[in-house]
Amino acid sequence: MLFRFDSPQGSFTLERYPHTGNPSFQPWDAGDLLLLKELSSTPIGPGSRVLVMNDSFGALTCALSFLKPDYYNDSYLAQKALARNLETNGIQSCNVRILNMDELIQGTGKYDLVMGKIPKHLSYLEMILQVLLIRTHPQSRIMLGGMTRHISRGVYHVCTKVFGSYTTSLAAKKARLIFLSPEQKTEVPDHPLSPADWINTEQWNGYTLVKLPNTFAQRGIDRGSRVLVSCLPHRTGPLSVLDLGCGNGFLSLAAALEYPEARIRGIDESALAVRSAELTFTRSMPDRDAKFTLMDGGSLEFQERFDLILCNPPFHEQAAVNRKLALGMILEAKKVLAADGHILVVANTSLGYQGVLAQYFPNMTVLARERGFSVFDLSS
């Protein structure tokens, strides 16, 4: 579904990706418009270096493409959405340089303008702001936007912790901006940064789970994942296992323990999640055949077929239940399932997925209902 986005910098045709079929969800919000209006009232000079961050569908980046900005987003889906919207609007991809976290940290030069949306996870916000300490100069402008209902006290605390102080705009259409001044920032890190600076770990059965910011289950192993692990089927001999949406690698690690001869593969749309899963196996099972890849779960790029696919999928979009995201991943998984394979999916029991999944998997069975979660076995 295409939407017309009118901004001070021009009008653009935008779409959301993945498509979820909800016409009330536009590919921008009032926070995007407030950022662009603020920039139009105090434009930056020619030749300025610009960074756009956490732009989920490309509204900010399309509007600022004439400035040839750098772009960072941990989400591979966001990068795909940006690419589609650049093409739709006839904007050459060379006008935007997409960076990963390593490239952002290790890049040379300073940004004159940083504009972006406030991320959901506070640890991820702190990570980004600490990177900006080394990528901005005293006169740089840093503007972060978001909907007021999502800007918690914790957001302001993190801004103060890293930059010393902040100012805000007036709220407009339930959105607000936060302004950070590098002149007021705290001490710059005295060593080269890397994602390893933000590692958080958790012990499970004597093994170490590594959790970088912006990964699922930051506070502890998800209850649904624990229930799913308790339902792993008994198998012997070599087999191939796919962890669909691997996060920090917990399900992959559990499968590796249950199936000593298994080949483990995991995918996630978060680059930090993929790095977390890799580090989990580096620390816990360095000799196992395990590989993790940045990939769109709704468009799998595997030639091989898997005997067992494990999935604890997302069931929400913008705080609203949306079955299409999860269902799209599960139906895509069916395409790479071996002839006698099984897909194990865990979902919150109250969401009523049993009837929905039964329409596509007539042989579906319920393996467990425990702690508010249900585990479904979707056989081929």
Side-chain angles (χ1 to χ4, degrees):
M1 183 176 296
L2 299 177
F3 297 84
R4 180 184 173 91
F5 175 58
D6 294 317
S7 75
Q9 290 76 18
S11 296
F12 304 90
T13 300
L14 304 176
E15 63 176 320
R16 294 176 69 95
Y17 182 84
H19 302 292
T20 57
N22 192 329
S24 65
F25 290 162
Q26 298 178 326
W28 72 87
D29 63 25
D32 295 295
L33 278 173
L34 196 56
L35 282 165
L36 294 172
K37 287 179 180 178
E38 175 67 24
L39 181 62
S40 68
S41 66
T42 54
I44 64 173
S48 298
R49 294 197 62 182
V50 177
L51 172 66
V52 178
M53 302 188 311
N54 300 325
D55 182 14
S56 297
F57 304 104
L60 294 174
T61 311
C62 285
L64 300 181
S65 60
F66 68 97
L67 295 172
K68 296 190 175 180
D70 286 353
Y71 170 95
Y72 170 73
N73 198 313
D74 179 55
S75 167
Y76 181 57
L77 295 182
Q79 294 177 27
K80 292 184 74 170
L82 171 64
R84 294 165 73 102
N85 284 320
L86 289 174
E87 182 178 6
T88 297
N89 290 280
I91 301 170
Q92 294 184 351
S93 59
C94 62
N95 281 10
V96 178
R97 186 172 64 141
I98 298 177
L99 306 177
N100 60 37
M101 177 54 74
D102 289 325
E103 291 168 334
L104 180 60
I105 292 173
Q106 298 167 10
T108 58
K110 308 289 186 179
Y111 291 109
D112 304 296
L113 171 67
V114 179
M115 177 182 288
K117 303 299 287 297
I118 299 169
K120 175 181 177 181
H121 297 291
L122 294 179
S123 61
Y124 184 42
L125 173 63
E126 183 170 350
M127 177 184 189
I128 289 173
L129 294 187
Q130 288 179 347
V131 173
L132 294 182
L133 288 176
I134 62 173
R135 294 307 311 274
T136 56
H137 55 77
Q139 287 73 47
S140 299
R141 297 167 60 189
I142 302 175
M143 300 188 293
L144 305 177
M147 303 306 291
T148 53
R149 66 180 181 275
H150 296 149
I151 305 177
S152 65
R153 292 182 179 179
V155 169
Y156 297 119
H157 173 75
V158 170
C159 290
T160 302
K161 176 181 177 181
V162 179
F163 274 85
S165 64
Y166 63 87
T167 58
T168 65
S169 71
L170 296 175
K173 295 185 177 180
K174 300 181 180 180
R176 190 183 300 276
L177 305 183
I178 297 177
F179 305 101
L180 301 173
S181 173
E183 288 184 316
Q184 305 296 325
K185 62 189 178 184
T186 57
E187 294 183 6
V188 176
D190 58 1
H191 64 281
L193 294 177
S194 76
D197 287 288
W198 297 281
I199 281 178
N200 181 26
T201 61
E202 180 178 358
Q203 297 301 307
W204 176 73
N205 286 359
Y207 295 91
T208 300
L209 296 170
V210 175
K211 299 180 286 186
L212 288 167
N214 204 40
T215 54
F216 179 61
Q218 283 287 314
R219 296 182 179 179
I221 298 171
D222 173 66
R223 288 185 300 166
S225 295
R226 288 182 183 272
V227 178
L228 177 56
V229 165
S230 71
C231 295
L232 291 177
H234 176 70
R235 297 285 294 268
T236 59
L239 73 156
S240 56
V241 178
L242 174 61
D243 185 352
L244 189 59
C246 62
N248 60 38
F250 170 67
L251 293 180
S252 293
L253 183 61
L257 289 170
E258 182 71 23
Y259 311 116
E261 298 181 61
R263 183 177 69 256
I264 307 295
R265 299 293 181 262
I267 69 106
D268 204 291
E269 67 96 22
S270 161
L272 290 171
V274 170
R275 180 79 64 90
S276 297
E278 291 173 341
L279 291 171
T280 289
F281 270 74
T282 297
R283 295 195 179 192
S284 297
M285 288 189 165
D287 298 326
R288 282 304 297 266
D289 181 2
K291 182 179 180 181
F292 301 92
T293 306
L294 187 66
M295 192 180 296
D296 178 1
S299 181
L300 296 178
E301 303 169 18
F302 289 108
Q303 297 301 318
E304 62 183 305
R305 294 295 179 263
F306 295 92
D307 303 299
L308 178 63
I309 300 176
L310 307 175
C311 187
N312 183 355
F315 290 105
H316 293 84
E317 180 186 29
Q318 292 186 347
V321 174
N322 192 321
R323 292 191 178 102
K324 289 195 173 183
L325 284 173
L327 187 58
M329 291 176 63
I330 295 166
L331 294 180
E332 189 69 12
K334 186 178 181 181
K335 298 177 184 178
V336 298
L337 188 64
D340 60 346
H342 294 260
I343 304 173
L344 266 59
V345 176
V346 63
N348 192 303
T349 303
S350 65
L351 297 180
Y353 271 83
Q354 182 171 348
V356 176
L357 294 174
Q359 297 177 30
Y360 298 92
F361 297 90
N363 297 326
M364 182 199 74
T365 57
V366 180
L367 298 181
R369 285 195 177 93
E370 182 182 339
R371 303 171 73 181
F373 290 90
S374 297
V375 177
F376 306 101
D377 182 349
L378 313 176
S379 65
S380 56

